Amino acid sequence: MEQVVNTVMDLVVPPASMVMLAFAWPTLSFLRGVEWTLKTLTKEDMLGKVVVITGASSAIGEQIAYEYARRNANLVLVARREQRLFAIRDNARLLGAGHVLVIAADVVKEDDCRRLVADTVSYFGQLNHLVNTVSLGHDFSFEEAGDTTAFPHLMDINFWGNVYPTHAALPYLRRSHGRVVVNASVESWLPMPRMSLYSAAKAAVVDFYETLRYEVKEEVGVTVATHGWVGGDAGGSKFTLDQQQQHQEGAAADQVQWKQQQGEREAAAAALPGGHVEAYARALVAGACRGDAYVKRPSWYDVFLVFRVFAPDVLAWTFRLLLSTSTPAPAGPSAIAARRPPPAALPAPPLRPLLEYPPAAVSRGPAHAQQVVQKLE
């Protein structure tokens, strides 16, 4: 009976929901416009408020700092290398920021997150907004990575780099009824090639904050911002196969990695048409001050989410067509194949089976066999 009910619901609920949504769309759009107007009229005044921005040295983090500076907020700029933050601090002061504090910290380390939050509260006496912009993309397909040592590094920065600062700041955000702002990406639900680990980490971040939203209720606001795909991570940091190999070689390789990240950051910022990063940062900060739960720029990417839920095959066919026509196959050996490490020999099978069964378990009778199965379970 349950199977029959589920079958009928599968056939009825999706089309009925789409019809109801089509009729309700004008009303919902009107109510959404009214809500946006009311929130705009009652938006939060950031004068004298304290904003912590992690990953402030990235392209997005820098522009977010400038947007909060225009609102006369006090800023705490956080990055692993504080020397990159001094110029941003000076620019923020010129734009109207109050006090600007620079803190060198690695948000992947929980102790550093506790320290930066403690230093902020000790210096300013409060914490109002926590903006997590730390992000690290990559430019290799899953099979190209001959060594998996880069995998935890990518997940640490993209996921735990958001969770740890939030965990440390949450008690103080509750006290001030503040807000957590997270920089996500459309890749969290829209598949893009050569970004499998990045997409998985961003999806985990979005799910984490969606759950946290209901746990903190009205005491702390949560704004999830997503930006569209711009040919890589808009923050400018990217992890390539060469960097993956250099990451294993110690501190000297870390300097090389930093130079490559800095070069890509400048190239990405210069290549974005129409000031994409600036427009996204402006929309993010404006939405956070209004108290919006979501900030999306551009918002037309949402149509792909509808297709993913109701017509995933259509979305899959579309992406296969676009990806097959956008990058024609080269005549000779591809660059990917050229730089892919030679396949390692498969490991030899184990000399002993992973699970050993007592000999003649069945020949002793069904009762003994049942005892053996229970023992193995």
Side-chain angles (χ1 to χ4, degrees):
M1 183 60 183
E2 182 181 356
Q3 183 177 0
V4 175
V5 172
N6 288 329
T7 302
V8 173
M9 296 294 284
D10 289 340
L11 295 175
V12 173
V13 171
S17 300
M18 293 297 293
V19 172
M20 293 176 59
L21 182 61
F23 281 102
W25 188 261
T27 303
L28 293 175
S29 299
F30 173 76
L31 294 177
R32 191 174 182 180
V34 172
E35 181 186 19
W36 182 88
T37 303
L38 293 176
K39 286 184 175 180
T40 302
L41 295 175
T42 60
K43 64 182 178 180
E44 183 178 5
D45 184 8
M46 297 306 299
L47 177 63
K49 299 291 183 67
V50 180
V51 181
V52 173
I53 304 174
T54 66
S57 61
S58 67
I60 288 180
E62 178 180 354
Q63 294 302 322
I64 289 175
Y66 296 156
E67 290 300 322
Y68 274 109
R70 292 185 178 97
R71 288 167 170 78
N72 307 118
N74 297 314
L75 303 179
V76 180
L77 307 179
V78 181
R80 287 187 302 168
R81 296 164 177 84
E82 62 181 0
Q83 66 270 16
R84 295 229 33 246
L85 298 174
F86 294 145
I88 300 175
R89 177 194 61 184
D90 296 338
N91 294 335
R93 287 175 175 172
L94 293 176
L95 291 173
H99 297 281
V100 182
L101 187 64
V102 170
I103 297 180
D106 188 352
V107 293
V108 175
K109 300 177 180 178
E110 190 173 2
D111 291 339
D112 281 16
C113 295
R114 292 174 179 171
R115 175 179 57 83
L116 75 89
V117 171
D119 290 347
T120 299
V121 176
S122 176
Y123 188 84
F124 291 105
Q126 62 179 349
L127 173 57
N128 301 99
H129 281 201
L130 170 66
V131 185
N132 293 315
T133 69
V134 172
S135 187
L136 180 62
H138 63 84
D139 188 26
F140 57 85
S141 63
F142 184 72
E143 286 187 314
E144 287 180 39
D147 192 343
T148 61
T149 54
F151 294 178
H153 183 64
L154 285 163
M155 297 300 292
D156 284 346
I157 293 180
N158 290 313
F159 181 72
W160 296 113
N162 291 270
V163 173
Y164 286 151
T166 302
H167 185 265
L170 207 53
Y172 303 99
L173 293 173
R174 283 183 180 273
R175 184 184 304 172
S176 63
H177 294 282
R179 177 165 297 272
V180 180
V181 184
V182 56
N183 173 42
S185 176
V186 72
E187 282 88 355
S188 60
W189 55 266
L190 189 63
M192 289 291 178
R194 306 180 68 81
M195 304 186 76
S196 54
L197 295 173
Y198 175 82
S199 300
K202 288 297 184 181
V205 165
V206 172
D207 288 344
F208 167 76
Y209 283 103
E210 292 291 355
T211 305
L212 183 66
R213 189 195 308 277
Y214 295 102
E215 293 182 1
V216 298
K217 299 179 182 178
E218 300 297 328
E219 296 182 23
V220 179
V222 177
T223 297
V224 178
T226 55
H227 59 78
W229 186 70
V230 290
D233 178 31
S237 299
K238 189 177 292 185
F239 205 64
T240 66
L241 282 176
D242 294 335
Q243 290 171 339
Q244 175 186 348
Q245 297 169 358
Q246 294 164 355
H247 181 67
Q248 308 168 19
E249 299 174 3
D254 186 61
Q255 295 178 0
V256 178
Q257 178 185 354
W258 170 252
K259 291 180 181 178
Q260 292 176 347
Q261 286 181 352
Q262 168 68 3
E264 291 193 3
R265 173 185 171 278
E266 294 173 350
L272 296 178
H276 180 92
V277 173
E278 292 83 352
Y280 172 67
R282 192 179 308 115
L284 183 147
V285 176
C289 294
R290 282 195 306 267
D292 293 346
Y294 304 97
V295 173
K296 301 175 182 178
R297 188 173 182 92
S299 59
W300 63 266
Y301 279 94
D302 289 350
V303 69
F304 293 112
L305 182 58
V306 175
F307 275 99
R308 179 177 179 179
V309 175
F310 292 100
D313 292 337
V314 175
L315 183 63
W317 297 334
T318 303
F319 269 83
R320 288 195 186 102
L321 179 63
L322 291 176
L323 295 176
S324 63
T325 57
S326 60
T327 53
S334 64
I336 296 177
R339 67 179 181 181
R340 180 181 298 174
L346 294 176
L351 298 178
R352 300 176 62 187
L354 299 179
L355 182 62
E356 294 184 358
Y357 294 90
V362 181
S363 62
R364 297 183 184 181
H368 180 74
Q370 186 176 4
Q371 294 177 1
V372 171
V373 172
Q374 294 176 352
K375 185 177 180 181
L376 289 174
E377 292 178 350

